[in-house]
Amino acid sequence: MFKTLFAVAAVTASICTAPMAMAEVAPDALVRQISVDVIDTARADKAIQAGDVSRILGLVETKVMPFVNFEVVTRSAVGVQWRGATPEQRTRLQTEFKTLLVRVYAGAMSQLGDQTVAVTKTLPVQGSTQVVVQTEVRGKGEPIKLDYRLDKTADAWKIIDVNVGGLWLVQ
């Protein structure tokens, strides 16, 4: 069970990568490209495979975090209390939420095996600038279905939520 959760978290982490000209890339192509990049990088790095926390944190920080919209993610997770938070409290909440996500993803990176990611469908979210990219994590056993909600910003697609087993993690 834990190995499956780590694989899910690893693929979730693999959805975001170091900055490149992503604004022009379709969201499904972005998901596919980033997944391959992160998985290949983790597989090629013996320190990551051995569980070197600093190397894993570095990989997550450079390849994952630049493409998560932390303000939207944190605002969604906090709910109505977000409106009453001071700018300093909002900054602190985003920092702590980012730390939590980095640590979750870092734990997953050392668990990568022979998993691959296949994009199965991309669905627009009506009345918004969002899409849901549906994927399957394939390896040993049954495929794991993951959906990624991305929002189009002025300069790039950004991850704002992930659905695992029918549950949106942020909402």
Side-chain angles (χ1 to χ4, degrees), residues 67-70 72-74 76 130-131 148-151 158-162 168 170-171:
F67 289 94
V68 174
N69 187 332
F70 277 103
V72 171
V73 169
T74 308
S76 295
Q130 300 174 5
V131 297
Y148 299 93
R149 184 179 298 266
L150 293 89
D151 190 31
K158 298 280 186 166
I159 301 295
I160 59 171
D161 209 348
V162 178
W168 290 101
V170 175
Q171 293 178 347

Side-chain angles (χ1 to χ4, degrees), residues 117-155:
V117 176
V119 174
T120 59
K121 191 183 292 185
T122 301
L123 305 167
V125 177
Q126 283 194 324
S128 75
T129 57
Q130 300 174 5
V131 297
V132 174
V133 176
Q134 298 177 337
T135 69
E136 286 185 351
V137 181
R138 298 174 180 162
K140 294 178 182 159
E142 288 293 314
I144 301 165
K145 294 183 185 287
L146 297 175
D147 297 342
Y148 299 93
R149 184 179 298 266
L150 293 89
D151 190 31
K152 178 79 161 136
T153 65
D155 61 343

Side-chain angles (χ1 to χ4, degrees), residues 97-119:
F97 199 71
K98 181 178 180 180
T99 300
L100 172 66
L101 289 178
V102 167
R103 294 196 183 283
V104 167
Y105 293 144
M109 286 294 152
S110 64
Q111 300 295 318
L112 284 175
D114 63 350
Q115 289 86 6
T116 60
V117 176
V119 174

Side-chain angles (χ1 to χ4, degrees), residues 4-118:
T4 299
L5 289 175
F6 283 130
V8 168
V11 172
T12 300
S14 73
I15 230 28
C16 304
T17 191
M20 36 184 146
M22 293 297 175
E24 296 125 30
V25 176
D28 57 340
L30 175 66
V31 168
R32 187 178 302 108
Q33 179 179 353
I34 294 167
S35 297
V36 169
D37 180 39
V38 171
I39 289 170
D40 288 351
T41 301
R43 283 187 187 145
D45 190 320
K46 299 292 184 199
I48 290 172
Q49 293 171 21
D52 182 325
V53 174
S54 64
R55 295 285 292 207
I56 294 169
L57 289 174
L59 175 62
V60 171
E61 188 66 40
T62 59
K63 298 211 180 268
V64 176
M65 296 304 128
F67 289 94
V68 174
N69 187 332
F70 277 103
E71 181 178 345
V72 171
V73 169
T74 308
R75 185 176 65 224
S76 295
V78 171
V80 296
Q81 290 81 10
W82 181 260
R83 285 183 237 144
T86 66
E88 294 80 22
Q89 289 171 324
R90 289 178 178 185
T91 299
R92 178 69 182 197
L93 283 165
Q94 287 180 67
T95 300
E96 293 302 323
F97 199 71
K98 181 178 180 180
T99 300
L100 172 66
L101 289 178
V102 167
R103 294 196 183 283
V104 167
Y105 293 144
M109 286 294 152
S110 64
Q111 300 295 318
L112 284 175
D114 63 350
Q115 289 86 6
T116 60
V117 176

